[in-house]
Amino acid sequence: EVVLEAVRQNGLALRCASSALQRDREVVLEAVRQDPVDALKFADPSVVDDPELAPERVRLNAIAGHGASAPIFLITSVGASLGGGGLDIGIAEGLNGEALPLMALPSGATVGDLARAVSALAGVRTVRLIAPGGSVLSPLDDATLLASAASGEWAS
């Protein structure tokens, strides 16, 4: 927790982290989010080529990391669009569950696509997404297909 917060403040703090934390994909992602130019220099070689940790990919990632301050949104439903060819996603804002209008996304949409759409709607950089069943999604779930969620196959 301390190192995670340190790399959120200064991505180069990764150089002082233990080798286990320099291998931790979520810690490295947060370091790259803060310092996209130099943070990967201090990551373990085993994660440097991870596509999820590439600076451009991290820049687009709108899912808040563990312990980060971000508004909470509950994913209440994921289903095929009645119009066909896409997905209708039910979202509720906050833990009180104030429902938002259904969000329509293409059938190949990912958790990351949903997070970007919700963060744009909320006017924030990152959001915390909670999957049906209560699991909190992490930035590493960015590439998970939303269609897999219909059968409850969340990556977290």
Side-chain angles (χ1 to χ4, degrees), residues 27-104:
V27 171
V28 174
L29 184 141
E30 293 297 339
V32 172
R33 195 175 259 172
Q34 203 288 320
D35 188 332
V37 175
D38 293 320
L40 277 176
K41 293 175 185 174
F42 302 103
D44 187 86
S46 66
V47 299
V48 168
D49 294 326
D50 185 328
E52 292 295 318
L53 302 177
E56 180 60 21
R57 192 79 176 262
V58 171
R59 184 184 67 75
L60 295 173
N61 193 316
I63 304 170
H66 176 74
S69 177
I72 297 171
F73 291 88
L74 306 172
I75 302 170
T76 58
S77 64
V78 177
S81 171
L82 293 178
L87 297 170
D88 285 336
I89 318 301
I91 297 287
E93 185 173 4
L95 295 176
N96 68 355
E98 184 179 327
L100 300 175
L102 280 178
M103 298 190 87

